[in-house]
Amino acid sequence: MMSKILKYSFVLAVVFPLVFLLGLSLAQQWQFPEVLPQQWTLQHWGNSLFQQGDILKSLFLSLGLSLSLAGTVSVFAFFMSKHIAYSKHRQLYMRFTLVPYILSPVVLAVIFQYYFTVANLSGNFIGVLIAQLFFALPFGIVIFNNFWNEHLKSIEQLSFTLGASSRQSLLKVILPLSKPAIVLCFFQSFLVSWFEYGLTQFIGLGKVKTLTVMVFSFINEANVFYAALACILLILPPIVLLYMNKKILILAR
Amino acid sequence: MSEAFLRIKQLHKWFGQNQILKNINLDLSDGQTLSLIGASGSGKTTLLKIIAGLENANQGQIYLRENRIDALSPQQRKIIYLYQDALLFPHLSAFENIAFGLRLQKAKHIPAQVNAMLDKLGMQDQGHKMPNQLSGGQKQRIAFGRALVIQPQLLLLDEPFGALDPEIRSHMQKLFKTLVSSQNLSAIFVTHDLKEAIIIGDNIAKIEQGSLIQYDSKKAFYQDDKSGVNDEILFWKHLKNETNED
């Protein structure tokens, strides 16, 4: 009984909005109180993906930005968190990682905007990437924080006494053991970047048009058909990543 | 200076203001096992980690076969430190755990060497199992095999049987003695257990609040009033008398 309730709740919460958005993106005309669109068309998809290609460009820009951020955060957070975890000042460092959460990303952007303008980082891809790193990197460090513990330290030390160099120990012992944590960090950082709006808009000066920025822009223009189309594209990569994440974690076990 | 396989001279270690090890001097002969006893926090683990190169001493020298090793990295020392927890690599099978050191050395005939070791450990048919499929005693045997197969210069064991139940513990003590003598290995064996120290060790040393006393022989250890052996004997005599009275 409970599983049935959960299944229907899932359909209502996830599948129904997706079907609704897909219908909206394929509608030429859909007026209240009609249950289904009066006219269907592939024109919005054709325009967005092939003729004007704005949404497609935004999709690739977003993918580039989020994948770059997720990759950078996973690598840096992995090594920085190790340093922090085995440091005498672990507690202090971990408090520092919480600072970006006290301020919202937009407030952070306002604080740092001057420096971004001086460094010629406003309104471009690199600038937005660096700005997102300000809060995504501490987030990654928090994810890895519990991974580094005395048990893992002992395993690493044991590999040294068995003759492994630091590099061999990293590749043959630590990385295989940290796979679930790395996947989690990559996935979470990707999502943080993927759905980020305020800071991207502020530092990007409206020139870095990620898919999330495009969705807001279509909604502001009351262009519901294109907004629905962009929303579907916005949801797809996280679903793919969620599926991959699950597969990798199951394999790791 | 007479020849010693392992020689530690005037070793000191501080953690901040606390002096953990005070003027440690220790000699270990080739092919001998030294049992090291002492209370928790007395500095036993720190001493083993310093010998293995996992911690640095503040002062003192360590010689192995008359070569000074305290500036060498753990990889260069060929000294294996075994923890109370077997610490098998959880992503590798029992076979691959044993093969780990051999693969790093790019040794020849790895499958044959690993199978021979599994045979010695009495685990011929367990090589394919993952660590989470092994019992505590089996894990500890694989950990032994992983250490012994690379033929280390010295074995350091930090209460390796502490977490095992009495029956398996006794079996592991016998297996340890057999394997160590068959490879003529030198070892330092840390334990809380007086009986275990006497069974395992060719010689005994005691560490108390960072200071080490090394006995010339086991007999000298038994004769020392502070060794705890007399208390143990009195306890068993008392128990026997009580049982007879009943």
Side-chain angles (χ1 to χ4, degrees), chain A residues 151 157-158 160-161 164 172 177, chain B residues 75 81 83 87 90-91 146:
Chain A
H151 182 77
Q157 288 183 334
L158 182 89
F160 292 153
T161 67
K172 292 177 189 291
L177 294 180
Chain B
Q75 293 88 343
Y81 176 74
Y83 295 74
L87 292 183
H91 58 296
R146 181 176 60 184

Side-chain angles (χ1 to χ4, degrees), chain A residues 48-250:
Chain A
S48 317
L49 300 179
F50 305 111
Q51 285 177 353
Q52 295 166 356
D54 282 358
I55 294 182
L56 197 63
K57 269 186 214 161
S58 290
L59 174 68
F60 284 119
L61 177 75
S62 287
L63 277 174
L65 183 65
S66 299
L67 289 172
S68 304
L69 182 94
T72 312
V73 167
S74 301
V75 172
F76 280 92
F78 180 81
F79 291 106
M80 288 171 76
S81 61
K82 183 182 179 185
H83 182 75
I84 289 170
Y86 298 151
S87 156
K88 282 180 198 168
H89 310 293
R90 178 180 187 160
Q91 295 297 331
L92 181 69
Y93 288 137
M94 288 314 294
R95 274 184 209 136
F96 274 121
T97 63
L98 298 176
V99 170
Y101 302 104
I102 297 167
L103 309 163
S104 84
V106 183
V107 176
L108 263 183
V110 172
I111 293 168
F112 288 111
Q113 198 206 15
Y114 169 77
Y115 303 100
F116 275 76
T117 309
V118 169
N120 205 20
L121 288 169
S122 288
N124 61 46
F125 180 91
I126 298 290
V128 173
L129 179 66
I130 292 171
Q132 288 191 354
L133 270 174
F134 274 114
F135 66 94
L137 188 59
F139 184 62
I141 291 170
V142 170
I143 289 175
F144 278 114
N145 181 39
N146 288 330
F147 170 70
W148 302 106
N149 52 38
E150 282 306 310
H151 182 77
L152 193 73
K153 192 178 179 182
S154 300
I155 285 186
E156 190 181 19
Q157 288 183 334
L158 182 89
S159 72
F160 292 153
T161 67
L162 289 167
S165 63
S166 299
R167 188 174 161 273
Q168 285 170 323
S169 178
L170 177 72
L171 294 177
K172 292 177 189 291
V173 180
I174 302 299
L175 280 180
L177 294 180
S178 60
K179 204 197 267 177
I182 292 175
V183 170
L184 181 69
C185 179
F186 186 90
F187 182 60
Q188 297 285 342
S189 315
F190 180 91
L191 288 182
V192 164
S193 169
W194 187 255
F195 293 116
E196 214 296 313
Y197 174 73
L199 180 139
T200 308
Q201 184 73 325
F202 203 81
I203 297 292
L205 303 175
K207 292 175 190 169
V208 181
K209 289 187 176 171
T210 61
L211 207 54
T212 311
V213 170
M214 287 291 270
V215 168
F216 276 89
S217 154
F218 285 131
I219 291 168
N220 284 338
E221 293 166 10
N223 194 345
V224 285
F225 303 122
Y226 279 93
L229 192 156
C231 276
I232 287 172
L233 292 177
L234 194 68
I235 293 165
L236 277 180
I239 290 174
V240 172
L241 262 183
L242 186 69
Y243 177 76
M244 283 168 61
N245 184 29
K246 199 177 160 192
K247 282 272 170 200
I248 292 168
L249 289 182
I250 288 169

